[in-house]
Amino acid sequence: MSSSHKELTTLLLLLVAIAGHPARCAEVTRIIGGQFASPGQFPHQVSLQLRGRHHCGGSLISDTMIVTAAHCTIGQSPSQMKAVVGTTDLAAGNGQTLDIAQLIIHPQYNPQTQDFDMSLIRLSSPVKLGGAVQTIQLADADANYAADTLATISGFGAINQNLQLPNRLKFAQVQLWSRDFCNAQNIPGLTDRMVCAGHPSGQVSSCQGDSGGPLTVDGKLFGVVSWGFGCGAKGRPAMYTYVGALRSWIKQMANV
């Protein structure tokens, strides 16, 4: 692997340090520039729990299906994971906790490049929809937006370099970056299954524990938190799995 490729892959936003593995994000670890969410503000938000601790984010797309990142589920067992929905505070105990029946990793997922970084999670029983628990609509196949369009990211990611989890859901707005910059020539390893978002200042970004969570535009799921250069690195975007490019696979596997 080239040195430039190693630099690009230094942050898998999951950074399973939260599950006891070494951290690879050297900068401030939170949704950079974020705010705490109000109850019910993100009713599609999922906290994926691994052995009782927050592990990754996800988005509820039906009463039995969740979209997340493949690097959140690869090598994991459904029996050791649970999904928590319907809460903005994991310590409050007011959400629904559900068992997981199946992890469906995209068959073309490449752990080295993070291409096709998407998984579907099938719940063991349907979630009770209503109030603070709602599904999110998926962006259309090949949906696209102009550069600088505002998008929203949300997650229960860590808030400092010690990987302290806040338990409370945070969110922030980021700008979508154009293909004039976000292309394989400028960002080696970028593919058509990825979109870029962030802020030129680096002060707004997703980070550890936010992986697999939603990037939404106009109330639809447009991206899934995947990887980046660090947590809020100046002039560097974060990369999100492009839902529109994998829309047909989601339809095939989840019937959504």
Side-chain angles (χ1 to χ4, degrees):
M1 182 183 296
S2 68
S3 60
S4 61
H5 200 166
K6 288 181 180 178
E7 177 190 4
L8 285 168
T9 55
T10 52
L11 174 64
L12 295 179
L13 289 168
L14 163 66
L15 289 181
V16 283
I18 294 173
H21 296 272
R24 291 196 282 178
C25 179
E27 306 193 23
V28 179
T29 55
R30 64 183 188 278
I31 281 194
I32 308 295
Q35 307 171 55
F36 287 112
S38 302
Q41 187 174 0
F42 297 95
H44 55 274
Q45 181 76 42
V46 178
S47 167
L48 295 177
Q49 309 267 314
L50 179 64
R51 293 184 287 273
R53 300 182 66 190
H54 174 74
H55 176 65
C56 268
S59 300
L60 191 67
I61 61 169
S62 79
D63 62 354
T64 59
M65 299 296 295
I66 292 165
V67 169
T68 188
H71 74 260
C72 289
T73 61
I74 192 166
Q76 305 298 342
S77 166
S79 64
Q80 294 186 325
M81 299 184 73
K82 292 184 182 294
V84 177
V85 298
T87 185
T88 57
D89 186 345
L90 297 176
N94 58 348
Q96 298 180 46
T97 300
L98 300 117
D99 292 332
I100 292 171
Q102 186 181 14
L103 306 175
I104 308 169
I105 298 174
H106 196 286
Q108 291 174 267
Y109 171 57
N110 186 323
Q112 281 70 50
T113 65
Q114 299 311 306
D115 202 6
F116 294 92
D117 188 14
M118 181 176 285
S119 279
L120 295 171
I121 294 177
R122 192 182 307 279
L123 299 172
S124 296
S125 59
V127 66
K128 297 176 182 177
L129 296 175
V133 181
Q134 303 288 345
T135 60
I136 188 169
Q137 188 175 353
L138 296 164
D140 296 333
D142 299 322
N144 205 357
Y145 294 92
D148 300 328
T149 296
L150 288 181
T152 302
I153 52 176
S154 54
F156 291 97
I159 60 173
N160 56 39
Q161 295 185 20
N162 296 323
L163 300 182
Q164 178 185 355
L165 296 179
N167 287 320
R168 294 174 62 191
L169 183 65
K170 295 190 76 176
F171 73 99
Q173 287 193 316
V174 293
Q175 296 166 268
L176 299 181
W177 290 34
S178 77
R179 288 293 184 188
D180 292 339
F181 178 84
C182 285
N183 55 55
Q185 182 175 350
N186 291 327
I187 304 177
L190 194 79
T191 74
D192 290 341
R193 272 72 59 188
M194 303 171 189
V195 292
C196 307
H199 191 279
S201 69
Q203 295 176 4
V204 180
S205 182
S206 48
C207 198
Q208 296 177 346
D210 294 323
S211 270
L215 171 83
T216 64
V217 183
D218 295 335
K220 295 183 179 181
L221 184 65
F222 184 67
V224 172
V225 180
S226 182
W227 64 279
F229 296 91
C231 302
K234 185 175 181 179
R236 300 290 184 91
M239 260 47 75
Y240 299 79
T241 304
Y242 176 28
V243 170
L246 301 181
R247 186 68 184 87
S248 60
W249 179 75
I250 298 173
K251 176 68 175 178
Q252 177 186 358
M253 304 305 298
N255 196 31
V256 175

